[in-house]
Amino acid sequence: MIAKVIVDISASDVDKIFDYTAIDGVERGCRVSVPFGNRTVEGYCIGFSETTDVPPEKLKPIISVLDDRPIISEEFLGLCDFMTSRFHLRRVDVFRLFLPAKMRGGRIKALERIFIEVNPEYANVDPALFIKKTAHAQLEVFEYVRSEGAAEQSKLNAEYSAAAVRNLVARGVFLQKREQVSRTPYAHIVQKTDAVTLTDEQNTAVDTILQSDKPTLLFGVTGSGKTEVYLNAISETLRTGKTAIMLVPEISLTPQVMRLFRSRFGDEAALLHSGLSDGERFDEWRRLLTGEAHVAVGARSAIFAPLQNIGLIVIDEEHDTSYVSESNPRYITREVAFFRAKYNGAHCVMGSATPSVESYYNAQNGMYTLVRMPNRINKRKMPEIETVNMCNEVLYGNSGMFSAKLISALDECLASGSQAILFLNRRGYSSYVMCKKCGYVAKCEDCDVSLVYHKDENLLKCHYCQRRYAKLDLCPNCKSPHIKQGFMGTERVVEHINRMFPKARVIRMDNDTTRTKDAHLNLLSDFASGNADILVGTQMVAKGHDFPNVTLVGIIDADMSLHFSDFRAVERTFQLITQVAGRAGREQKPGRVILQTYTPGHYVYRLVSAYDYEGFYSKEINLLHTSGFPPFTEILRILISCENESIALDATKFAIDEVRNIASERQDDFIYLNAMRSPKKRIQTKYRMQILMRIKPNCGVREQVYIVADAVAQRFPQVTCFTEINPNDLS
Ligand code: ADP
Ligand code: ZN
Ligand code: ZN
């Protein structure tokens, strides 16, 4: 018997299946150890055959089988087939999505559970006697274990602090109990309580989701209580003995959200967030695989949770761009969700206050079921959005970044003891370093993008490759000392606030302040608990946070996302403004939003301040129709990159010729086709070229283009060649 094996090596440019002689115990879906060249590598057995073309003297047997039963289920083997053909991926890259890093490279861990109990000697002692007052994490986890009696270590590590648990174990305060787990899913289901009473709108939404045989689009305004709808739909699903996956944008996995899931589902839920170490991630994954946990909550990659018998998949904030993976392996999460929903006979719900135009279009066409929740909980009013024309401010002599209206609103807000959020569209958008005399702009030598001045480190950085450069004192071009280092970044906003409102406590949140593990969670919980008056941030503050005390939202530079050369620029602007405005006035106090713009006449501002999603949608869908963009077409991009510019050019020339051949035979299917340098001409010393096309959706051209991409990879081994469907970012 011949086993078909995918070898787990990253250098394999070609997606090949290798033949080995099968040995006892090998099954389809098992990991195996196989000889490869003069090495031993890991691989995945994906099937069997009776015969092989490999000559007998070259055929080698599998060395050993690494799993006692298939670790990759039939569902995932099918999903792998779907993903490789739909997104043009290598199988090995897809398998890597399915298994946590800890499961690869021979680092197999026993499927053992470790429970933590409080040492009886400490159970009735005041913890102040043996835990320092400042060791909050230790106190918190101690109190939790004491109240629960016992808890699984992996869960404590993931949800409290691994360091705190280790410390308490080392000091003998906690005792460890080991238990080998059997893989019997769904041993018991605990129903935790404290659900709120749903409103009629919410009840209708839950019923619709659980009855629909199509995916449901839940279109509910900010603050309409969508989270509660998901929680109830998940509870219902668990009650019928099925499992559920809930996807949220990474940035929304706040302490609040995690606490909510923990309190509602207890051990039933596995929380997969970016703060987990490989070991912690493996533990959560194992709990899902063995059926100890029945709900997976996490960002995009949680769609690959090893659950069986899935009854519900939730995609919260479905319009969020993080659901499309933008580096290899590139995939569209929604499509993976639909595959799994279909395989399992599960319901699927996508929720948003600002659905993507594409999803709303699908709902209009009957591909999705549409449910609306047009009212906020307790009929709270949507905050009023006031537009300020910044050009007038300059006329009246105010050239600062805050309009007079925003300053007085901040004053009022702080005086009344409420909190404010100030939103900047993009970190360091206008942060380029420019010579005021000759116009020279400092750029990264490797990436051909403008450098960004970082005041705290007093240097220039490239945001693409992180390369650092010394600050410019003299223009290298004309030797003028008049260099504009200033910029409208979050740092500058904070400086201004400090000057104008010296008493206000400010938190800054952007890619710089949230680089470390847990950083953004800590900043958010600081703000939520009232340790600051103003939160200044980029896109990250726009996501679904619920801060009851926020009454004012200032949008400093609403226009920025309008100027991107992206066909979705207006849609993004509408979504961002609605989302960030939705952070205001969520409790009793009414909210106010001040939107600063240099182009107040743009239709998007009229529609967004009227909360007129439908008006926006019908305008947008007409534009997309006349200009031939998705959902009416499919954008396909071949991205070619190489250190050697002339090889990149040759490869691109080869590819465009091949694609032109296809196009000449199928003119009706091509709306647009061109080859060009990518807008970011160089990233990390690699030259980047792209072939862009717009084609009729599902007309078969895509498959032909994939064959061209394979041919490029074969002929030009030095280049990296990827394809993307409807990418978010064409840079
Ligand atoms: P959305 O996700 O739609 O923006 P949330 O789910 O954050 O809205 O809900 C807004 C607020 O309303 C939250 O504080 C939530 O706890 C509360 N809430 C939701 N449903 C109910 C309900 N049925 N009764 C009372 N409060 C509710
Ligand atoms: Zn100069
Ligand atoms: Zn760079």
Side-chain angles (χ1 to χ4, degrees), residues 158-297:
E159 295 175 23
Y160 291 90
S161 145
V165 175
R166 255 197 320 275
N167 180 303
L168 292 171
V169 169
R171 295 199 285 132
V173 177
F174 279 171
L175 301 178
Q176 286 178 318
K177 293 255 157 83
R178 280 160 207 279
E179 182 188 293
Q180 195 73 33
V181 284
S182 58
R183 289 187 186 178
T184 40
Y186 324 125
H188 62 290
I189 289 173
V190 207
Q191 178 68 37
K192 298 256 169 170
T193 44
D194 30 64
V196 297
T197 313
L198 294 193
T199 62
D200 290 345
E201 269 186 11
Q202 286 172 318
N203 272 321
T204 310
V206 174
D207 292 346
T208 311
I209 292 164
L210 295 180
Q211 278 157 23
S212 173
D213 49 10
K214 298 184 279 199
T216 303
L217 180 64
L218 173 58
F219 171 30
V221 299
T222 56
S224 60
K226 294 186 288 295
T227 313
E228 210 51 62
V229 170
Y230 307 140
L231 291 173
N232 276 269
I234 293 171
S235 291
E236 280 299 304
T237 304
L238 296 184
R239 254 178 8 87
T240 62
K242 297 192 170 196
T243 65
I245 296 176
M246 165 124 179
L247 303 180
V248 297
E250 174 68 48
I251 217 74
S252 316
L253 270 176
T254 60
Q256 286 164 305
V257 171
M258 296 204 278
R259 209 172 302 131
L260 191 61
F261 272 88
R262 188 160 63 211
S263 75
R264 205 61 70 79
F265 299 111
D267 288 343
E268 294 279 300
L271 305 177
L272 305 162
H273 55 89
S274 64
L276 299 183
S277 68
D278 281 353
E280 291 158 356
R281 184 167 289 275
F282 169 82
D283 285 331
E284 289 300 83
W285 181 85
R286 181 194 51 69
R287 295 203 309 121
L288 291 161
L289 178 77
T290 55
E292 288 159 39
H294 303 101
V295 186
V297 184

Side-chain angles (χ1 to χ4, degrees), residues 141-156:
V141 68
F142 176 80
E143 287 302 351
Y144 178 76
V145 176
R146 181 153 77 170
S147 69
E148 291 287 303
E152 202 174 333
Q153 180 165 344
S154 58
K155 176 175 176 277
L156 298 176

Side-chain angles (χ1 to χ4, degrees), residues 435 438 440 475 477-478:
C435 168
C438 76
Y440 165 87
C475 169
N477 192 33
C478 74

Side-chain angles (χ1 to χ4, degrees), residues 434-440 474-480 482-483:
M434 192 181 78
C435 168
K436 289 190 197 169
K437 197 160 158 228
C438 76
Y440 165 87
L474 287 181
C475 169
N477 192 33
C478 74
K479 307 290 177 253
S480 153
H482 299 287
I483 308 281

